[in-house]
Amino acid sequence: MDVVLIPGFWLEASSWAPVTAALAAAGHTPHPVTPLGTGRPAAEVAATTLADQAADVVALVDTLPGPVVVVGHSGGGAVAHAVADARPDRVARVVYVDSGPIGDGDVVNAELPVVDGVVPFPGWDAFGPEELEGLTPELRERLEGAALTVPPLVAAGPQRLHDERRYDVPVTVISCTMPEPVLRALVAEGHPYVAELGRVRDVEVVELPTGHWPQLSRPEDLAAAVVAAVGGAARTRAGAP
């Protein structure tokens, strides 16, 4: 199975290294991407949007021969959902790593500060303690040192979706900072935070208790969870139980 991996804000393709290695070992073909405009100068990315990032990934999907699984971490989940919206007949499953889909007109995070025309890593005070779980000082230094800038309209511009067949694409949520019962309760209550997820017809939740960056705090466990989700999608496509 071809697997496209979209990192969250401030990260690039290599952040998926533990997952890509595990996918390859399991016989899958990983395609980690760096979201369009990440780390680029302000003059180049002033007009770059979520839709542009999604279109860039869709172009990759269109080069692949069969069904694909799309994996999105954090803000990359919004891009993954837009890819499923654009190609609902090609995406076998979307895997959200401590993230989820956002609906048409919603934004990822309009509160992130823009500095000199880009969105830099905002510092650790911008995150709650549950998001920082498992991040040692060394891991924090590693993430902060590798952080790249994000185009402003990707953070604060609206999601644009067009095809309700996206709700037929099965989803796995690897939930790191929220227990499954809490997430399910929010969906049942119709909470705006999970309104789009609540419209998806097939949602699997896998708990991976740690902070918001499991690729750093629990890389082997994250890799195993993604491999399991992809394997399930491959078996479903093949008609196996």
Side-chain angles (χ1 to χ4, degrees), residues 167-238:
Y167 300 128
D168 294 323
V169 178
V171 158
T172 296
V173 177
I174 299 176
S175 187
C176 302
T177 55
M178 184 180 295
E180 179 177 1
V182 175
L183 179 59
R184 296 283 189 188
L186 290 175
V187 170
E189 294 165 7
H191 193 286
Y193 176 72
V194 290
E196 187 74 357
L197 180 65
R199 300 184 71 180
V200 177
R201 296 178 176 89
D202 182 353
V203 178
E204 171 191 43
V205 179
V206 176
E207 289 188 6
L208 181 60
T210 187
H212 187 57
W213 290 274
Q215 61 270 69
L216 292 176
S217 59
R218 294 184 63 178
E220 293 181 358
D221 294 328
L222 173 62
V226 173
V227 168
V230 172
R235 288 191 297 273
T236 299
R237 282 284 174 160

Side-chain angles (χ1 to χ4, degrees), residues 9-10 36-48 53 109-122 147-156:
F9 285 2
W10 310 296
L36 186 71
T38 299
R40 303 303 302 168
E44 294 183 15
V45 300
T48 301
Q53 289 193 340
N109 191 340
E111 297 181 1
L112 289 170
V114 177
V115 179
D116 296 329
V118 292
V119 178
F121 182 74
L148 301 173
T149 57
V150 173
L153 290 180
V154 170

